[in-house]
Amino acid sequence: RLSKADIERMVAEAETFLQADEEQRDRVAARNQLESYAFSVRSAVADGASKLSNDEAEKVKAAAQDTLDWLDGSQLAEKDEIEHRMSELQQTCSPIMAKLHGASGKAAAAAAA
C-alpha cells in the first residue's frame, strides 16, 4: 500500500513530466511546421519555375535546402530556434511565393475570361 508521501511524490513527478511532455510536443510541432513549409515552398517553386527568374527559384530552393539540412543536423533544437528559422525562411520566400502565386492567379483569371 502506498503512503500519502509516496502518492504526493508521484503526483509531483507526473506534473513535472506533463510540463516536459508539453514542451516536447510544442517543439515537435514547430519542427514539423518548419519542415512542411520548406518542402512546400521547394515543391511550389519546382512546379512553377517558369513563372520565376532563375535567381528567384534558386534563392528559394537554396533557402529551403539550407533549412532542411539545418533540421537534419539540429535534432535537439529548441522551439525558439526552430521558430526563428521559420521566420527567416518566410522572410526569404514570401515575396517570391507571392509573385509565383500572383502569376498563377493572373493566368487562371485570363484562362477563365
Side-chain angles (χ1 to χ4, degrees):
R1 186 160 159 108
L2 295 174
S3 69
K4 183 173 173 97
D6 287 339
I7 293 171
E8 289 174 0
R9 179 186 50 80
M10 292 171 75
V11 168
E13 286 176 359
E15 289 173 358
T16 301
F17 292 137
L18 176 66
Q19 181 180 359
D21 288 348
E22 288 174 354
E23 290 172 3
Q24 176 70 358
R25 183 182 62 239
D26 291 345
R27 189 181 72 76
V28 169
R31 184 178 179 79
N32 289 343
Q33 183 181 16
L34 176 58
E35 184 177 48
S36 176
Y37 183 71
F39 279 120
S40 175
V41 296
R42 190 172 71 176
S43 176
V45 166
D47 292 344
S50 64
K51 299 171 188 158
L52 299 173
S53 71
N54 285 340
D55 288 345
E56 290 170 325
E58 287 304 316
K59 184 176 182 179
V60 171
K61 287 179 190 176
Q65 190 59 50
D66 181 54
T67 298
L68 293 170
D69 291 344
W70 178 83
L71 281 169
D72 286 343
S74 303
Q75 296 294 323
L76 300 176
E78 293 297 322
K79 180 183 173 192
D80 292 344
E81 294 173 278
I82 297 167
E83 289 174 342
H84 179 73
R85 291 296 294 221
M86 177 67 140
S87 175
E88 287 179 340
L89 183 59
Q90 287 174 328
Q91 286 178 347
T92 300
C93 297
S94 288
I96 298 168
M97 297 308 293
K99 179 180 176 182
L100 176 65
H101 294 303
S104 63
K106 289 176 187 173

